[in-house]
Amino acid sequence: GQLGLPPLPTEGEHIELVYVNLCTRGDRRAHMESQLQSHSSLHGRRMEAQKGAAAPDWAAVDEWDAAIGRAVAAEWSTRLNARFDHLSQRDARVPLQPSERGAAMCHALLWARAASRPIDAPPLLICEDDVELR
């Protein structure tokens, strides 16, 4: 099934936050958990980042690599970046590494989850584990 989040507290306004974190980065996970404890309006949850290997339980797909192939391209174009960053190559095609495709798939799954939520659901904030919450 989908990424399961604990129920939100019923009092006050809350924002659901899901951060993507590799299992090998316990330091970043600890930093995120520490930040979340000091922000009572954020209801946080970790999603384990994938490197394109085995399908995680939350993916709800039979074949992880096939799911990545359908949802995430094998390469990306620098055309849009070049419009805003003069150091980017114009119209270059850059192949994505399996780890990059796995990270993109995590975000694609979270965006699909966000899009399927009821209109009156609390906001959902999706971020990486190196975000600084202020």
Side-chain angles (χ1 to χ4, degrees):
Q2 293 182 340
L3 173 66
L5 297 174
L8 286 172
T10 55
E11 295 182 19
E13 292 187 27
H14 291 81
I15 296 173
E16 288 185 83
L17 180 145
V18 178
Y19 67 93
V20 180
N21 168 255
L22 283 168
C23 64
T24 57
R25 292 305 306 260
D27 58 326
R28 288 186 174 192
R29 182 179 185 178
H31 181 64
M32 282 300 303
E33 295 298 326
S34 173
Q35 291 186 89
L36 288 167
Q37 286 178 2
S38 64
H39 288 81
S40 61
S41 64
L42 295 175
H43 184 70
R45 178 73 179 206
R46 173 184 177 265
M47 173 184 253
E48 185 173 328
Q50 301 300 309
K51 290 188 172 183
D57 292 339
W58 50 259
V61 294
D62 295 327
E63 178 62 43
W64 179 243
D65 291 332
I68 290 177
R70 287 189 306 273
V72 179
E75 62 182 22
W76 66 281
S77 169
T78 61
R79 181 180 298 154
L80 182 60
N81 287 26
R83 290 180 58 196
F84 304 99
D85 178 4
H86 68 280
L87 299 177
S88 290
Q89 296 177 338
R90 293 186 63 89
D91 296 327
R93 303 296 298 177
V94 179
L96 293 172
Q97 299 299 315
S99 60
E100 294 171 314
R101 294 184 79 206
M105 186 63 177
C106 289
H107 283 272
L109 287 167
L110 285 169
W111 279 103
R113 182 188 185 327
S116 68
R117 293 161 53 95
I119 193 72
D120 59 347
L124 175 62
L125 177 62
I126 301 166
C127 52
E128 292 289 326
D129 60 5
D130 59 350
V131 69
E132 288 294 326
L133 304 173
R134 307 249 183 234

